[in-house]
Amino acid sequence: MPKASSTLAALRSLVAAWNPPDRRACEGVPTGVPAIDSALGGGLPGGQLTELVVAPGSGGQLTLVQLFETTRSARQRVALIDATDAFAPEVVAADLLRHLVWARCHNTEEAFKVADVLVRDGNYAAVVLDLRDAPGSALNRIPKTTWHRLHRITERQPAAVLVLSRYGLVPAVRWRLELPSRFRLSEQRRPRLELITALHAEALRGTFTEEMAG
Amino acid sequence: MNYAVITIPDFSLHALRRSEPDLARKPVALIEGEGRKAVLVQVSPEALGVERGLAVSLAMARCPGIVLRTRDLKAETDSHRLLVAAAFTLSPRVEITGPECCTVDLQGANPEQTERAMRQGVADLMRMGLPARPGAAATPLLAHYAACCAEPVLVVRDAREFLHDLPLSFAEPTARQAEVLDGWGIRTLGQLAALPKAEVGQRLGTEGAALWERAAGETTRPLRLTQPTQTFASAWDYEPGIDNIEPLFFKLRRYAECLAFELRSAGFVAESLALTLLLEDETDYWREYQLPEPNTDVEGWLKVMHSQLESLTLPARVVTVRFVAKPTRPLVKQEGLFDTGLRDPHAFWENLAKVSAILGEERVGTPVLEDTWRPDSFTLERPAESVPAPGPAAVHPPQGGVLRRFRPPRPVLVMMENSRPSGISGYASGAVQAAAGPWRASGDWWRPDHWAVETWHVEMETGEIFQLARTAGGWTIEGVVD
């Protein structure tokens, strides 16, 4: 009968074989939002999906623009897959978008087709799949196998994949954060950087401390 | 070596087999003549027991499975273009000596590089189904002899040694000359060339002297030079017409490989591709494919076209295809020391083409703001090859949240109180808790499409902050401030 230690070692090697070897080696991509970066232990993890659940007015678009600014400073490429074609480029200085590839989708189905292509690409530091305001009926029709496929594709690539949603959508996601706070109209005169610093992120699934312990 | 000759033995047969891959490894023969007078003129090695000049009935009796065909002139033209393209990889001074033969002036060329180029050309043509045999020597005639003996490349450095054992038939003596020389015991070119030219001339006349010169390989001549092609196009027919892309891509790949080879040999790359499909109902479909980066990568071309063609629906069958590659010189540039380039440029442009096929070309790219205050004015441009260093930070840091647009804007009714929005009804309804504005902008007053807009931010009971816009068309919600 095999010893318990050898069985455990075999189990570990099996788990290691299942996990892609470069999974933890992929560098994170800082979003520039302190609350999110600290919750994720430095930034969006490369080779993994991260879901950010945001209600309207709670800073989702602010986070997106800050991610663009941070990656622009680092001269990394970013892809935005915009399922509802809602991004407004005029809110950002023109120079801050020169690293961005924006895919303006007509519907959710197209967004997933585009994600399937761009996540595989390998030239992007981050790929953002923005599913906010997509019709619930379309989102509910997404089969789990599609998410599973996206997970598997992401694991093989260095890019960090951020899914923006209105409610928890992504099954088996390692990191799901929520921005619970909401801005008031009276705060719209504050510098954007102050608003970003004031953002609060709650981990709905996975925390950096759990990850470290694991 | 001053000259090279590239020849393809059994050219018509190989051209036919190249155009019909089903004939590969089958016994095939080309016939000429009609009825009982038809004889075999070219025979594939698989046709055992059959040789040139044999009557058709006899050939079929000796080799029951033999496939007999007549010449395919279209296939020969296509193969000839490849042969010429291969010749131009050696030198720009090329003579089209025959359909299956090109002579190249190599004077001034580096012998080692030329020999490498010849071997590469043989490999390229072989990959495309044409077993070429190049030979190089001091004169065009010697080079021709060398090409006839090449397996697969022969460079003649010592003409005397090379000619020594070559049969006399290479110099093409007349029947009488052959008989006389056979009587003298002369059976090789080397033996004839060893005789004094004047003595041969005295006994066999001027024709004999000319034969001696051919035997010595000394005959030289000026080449009738041809110009490299400047148009890179192929066309082919389907009989009957086709209604799916599989047979289209089968031939498209083959013709694309030929065009890519022609482009490379002429020192070009393809800037864009144009595909014209003529349909059975006498209409046509035309599409130009702008390549993300000029290249001769056939796989990349096909992927760009496949993304678009697989979703194409045509009203009738395709009967003729015309495929054109627009040539341009290859890009030569040096990257900046600190530029952040693409890790995999081919994948990047190819994937962008795929996304364009899914969304439409105008819906993917890098946003560039237009020089106007008109709301939502931007264009999507081709992403930069490398991400440049960011410019200086803005003098006035941005304030507040970021607009997330509704496209198109949602029409809404707005109730006003003291010239400020107090409630809205429509896409969203409710009392306005707080409002900021108005911000007014207008422009292009000198143009018919002049514009003017008044913008407000309103906070609703639900906590959402909407951006309202009042234009000549009424009130709309432009988006949510997020």
Side-chain angles (χ1 to χ4, degrees):
Chain A
M1 188 173 172
K3 286 183 181 176
S5 57
S6 65
T7 312
L8 195 61
L11 188 61
R12 279 184 177 145
S13 65
L14 273 175
V15 172
W18 178 79
N19 270 313
D22 58 344
R23 187 161 170 161
R24 283 165 189 270
C26 294
E27 290 179 8
V29 179
T31 62
V33 179
I36 295 176
D37 288 344
S38 75
L40 296 175
L44 301 171
Q48 288 183 37
L49 259 74
T50 304
E51 186 176 12
L52 189 63
V53 178
V54 279
S58 57
Q61 206 68 359
L62 205 57
T63 303
L64 187 63
V65 167
Q66 187 59 24
L67 172 67
F68 291 163
E69 190 164 342
T70 310
T71 46
R72 176 73 182 89
S73 304
R75 300 171 73 183
Q76 296 170 313
R77 279 182 198 273
V78 177
L80 169 62
I81 303 162
D82 198 350
T84 52
D85 189 19
F87 178 61
E90 72 266 31
V91 298
V92 189
D95 182 60
L96 293 182
L97 297 176
R98 294 180 68 180
H99 65 317
L100 174 67
V101 173
W102 178 23
R104 304 174 63 194
C105 305
H106 297 94
N107 51 49
T108 313
E109 193 186 343
E110 277 186 358
F112 274 90
K113 281 184 187 171
V114 173
D116 194 71
V117 174
L118 293 186
V119 171
R120 291 170 196 273
D121 188 283
N123 286 292
Y124 300 98
V127 177
V128 181
L129 176 58
D130 189 352
L131 296 173
R132 289 174 294 167
D133 301 330
S137 55
L139 293 175
N140 293 336
R141 277 203 304 273
I142 302 167
K144 283 192 176 174
T145 47
T146 302
W147 288 113
H148 179 74
R149 179 184 165 90
L150 193 60
H151 273 297
R152 297 286 85 82
I153 297 168
T154 307
E155 282 173 356
R156 295 188 206 107
Q157 299 297 336
V161 179
L162 175 66
V163 181
L164 293 172
S165 60
R166 290 291 183 221
Y167 55 90
L169 267 180
V170 190
V173 69
R174 183 172 289 246
W175 304 93
R176 181 180 292 145
L177 305 181
E178 185 181 20
L179 300 180
S181 51
R182 206 165 235 194
F183 295 118
R184 307 300 303 269
L185 186 61
S186 55
E187 293 175 290
Q188 295 302 313
R189 285 182 179 276
R190 289 171 65 188
R192 201 172 277 174
L193 204 57
E194 275 185 28
L195 295 178
I196 287 164
T197 313
L199 280 174
H200 173 62
E202 265 182 23
L204 301 180
R205 177 179 286 183
T207 62
F208 180 57
T209 47
E210 275 176 23
E211 179 80 356
M212 290 299 284
Chain B
M1 55 182 179
N2 293 332
Y3 295 91
V5 167
I6 309 177
T7 184
I8 300 176
D10 293 335
F11 173 74
S12 302
L13 182 69
H14 287 299
L16 176 75
R17 291 180 93 166
R18 190 179 157 271
S19 73
E20 294 183 40
D22 293 348
L23 296 180
R25 289 187 290 280
K26 283 185 183 172
V28 188
L30 285 185
I31 56 171
E32 264 183 18
E34 290 183 359
R36 291 183 179 179
K37 291 182 179 174
V39 291
L40 276 56
V41 288
Q42 291 183 11
V43 183
S44 72
E46 292 85 358
L48 299 174
V50 177
E51 57 195 24
R52 291 178 188 195
L54 213 59
V56 168
S57 54
L58 203 53
M60 291 174 74
R62 286 189 184 177
C63 183
I66 193 166
V67 180
L68 300 172
R69 291 291 179 85
T70 53
R71 287 173 61 188
D72 181 343
L73 295 181
K74 170 78 172 71
E76 288 183 25
T77 307
D78 292 339
S79 298
H80 174 73
R81 282 172 51 183
L82 292 176
L83 175 66
V84 176
F88 273 108
T89 61
L90 304 180
S91 161
R93 295 168 59 79
V94 173
E95 176 195 74
I96 297 174
T97 315
E100 78 297 345
C101 180
C102 284
T103 306
V104 186
D105 185 349
L106 297 176
Q107 294 180 68
N110 180 316
E112 288 172 3
Q113 283 181 1
T114 304
E115 191 170 344
R116 270 202 301 275
M118 282 199 290
R119 291 188 186 281
Q120 182 61 46
V122 167
D124 289 340
L125 288 173
M126 193 66 207
R127 207 176 53 250
M128 290 182 280
L130 297 173
R133 297 283 178 267
T139 68
L141 187 65
L142 266 183
H144 179 72
Y145 294 163
C148 292
C149 303
E151 283 293 341
V153 178
L154 180 60
V155 177
V156 176
R157 293 190 172 84
D158 184 342
R160 187 182 293 264
E161 186 186 332
F162 169 65
L163 292 168
H164 188 264
D165 295 326
L166 274 192
L168 194 62
S169 57
F170 270 69
E172 297 175 354
T174 61
R176 175 161 162 62
Q177 285 172 336
E179 189 184 341
V180 171
L181 291 171
D182 190 51
W184 294 354
I186 304 294
R187 291 182 181 85
T188 67
L189 298 185
Q191 288 170 341
L192 179 57
L195 300 175
K197 181 182 175 183
E199 299 290 330
V200 173
Q202 272 183 1
R203 286 162 179 78
L204 297 179
T206 50
E207 287 178 357
L211 177 65
W212 185 94
E213 284 177 359
R214 290 202 298 277
E218 287 180 354
T219 309
T220 190
R221 60 184 174 84
L223 300 186
R224 297 182 300 277
L225 299 179
T226 187
Q227 294 295 316
T229 182
Q230 296 294 316
T231 53
F232 301 90
S234 291
W236 63 97
D237 300 323
Y238 289 99
E239 181 60 43
I242 56 164
D243 55 5
N244 64 74
I245 63 168
E246 271 184 36
L248 172 66
F249 267 82
F250 180 74
K251 280 204 168 182
L252 193 58
R253 174 182 293 278
R254 198 154 53 80
Y255 282 99
E257 281 172 356
C258 297
L259 287 188
F261 183 64
E262 283 187 308
L263 283 163
R264 279 197 298 274
S265 63
F268 286 112
V269 288
E271 184 180 23
S272 64
L273 307 169
L275 188 70
T276 309
L277 307 177
L278 299 179
L279 309 181
E280 265 179 348
D281 61 1
E282 297 188 349
T283 60
D284 62 27
Y285 170 83
W286 179 86
R287 166 88 194 217
E288 186 174 37
Y289 301 88
Q290 201 66 38
L291 293 175
E293 189 176 15
N295 62 58
T296 54
D297 174 24
V298 173
E299 291 303 321
W301 293 2
L302 294 179
K303 280 178 185 170
V304 167
M305 288 189 282
H306 195 274
S307 305
Q308 189 268 330
L309 285 175
E310 68 179 350
S311 57
L312 178 68
T313 308
L314 293 170
R317 287 166 176 258
V318 176
V319 289
T320 302
V321 179
R322 184 173 162 76
F323 181 50
V324 181
K326 185 179 174 187
T328 186
R329 290 290 172 198
L331 289 175
V332 180
K333 67 167 191 172
Q334 186 172 354
E335 296 286 343
L337 188 59
F338 300 106
D339 279 354
T340 313
L342 293 162
R343 285 179 193 163
D344 184 350
H346 284 291
F348 183 76
W349 299 118
E350 186 185 309
N351 288 332
L352 273 187
K354 283 182 185 170
V355 174
S356 298
I358 296 168
L359 303 179
E361 279 181 17
E362 71 292 348
R363 293 186 73 89
V364 62
T366 297
V368 176
L369 302 181
E370 290 184 357
D371 187 16
T372 175
W373 291 103
R374 183 196 284 261
D376 208 17
S377 293
F378 63 90
T379 53
L380 283 183
E381 292 189 355
R382 178 189 152 95
E385 289 273 343
S386 58
V387 179
V395 178
H396 303 291
Q399 293 180 335
V402 178
L403 176 68
R404 187 173 155 74
R405 277 196 177 276
F406 298 151
R407 292 191 178 94
R410 313 280 194 261
V412 72
L413 288 174
V414 178
M415 281 67 81
M416 301 292 283
E417 201 174 301
N418 298 327
S419 304
R420 299 178 74 78
S422 60
I424 62 173
S425 171
Y427 171 76
S429 301
V432 170
Q433 301 298 301
W439 296 280
R440 295 190 176 98
S442 63
D444 298 339
W445 52 265
W446 61 93
R447 287 167 45 173
D449 61 336
H450 58 86
W451 58 275
V453 63
E454 178 183 306
T455 308
W456 289 82
H457 282 174
V458 294
E459 184 176 335
M460 306 302 293
E461 287 169 315
T462 54
E464 286 174 297
I465 301 172
F466 290 124
Q467 180 166 308
L468 301 181
R470 179 155 66 176
T471 61
W475 284 94
T476 53
I477 301 181
E478 284 199 314
V480 61
V481 179
D482 189 15

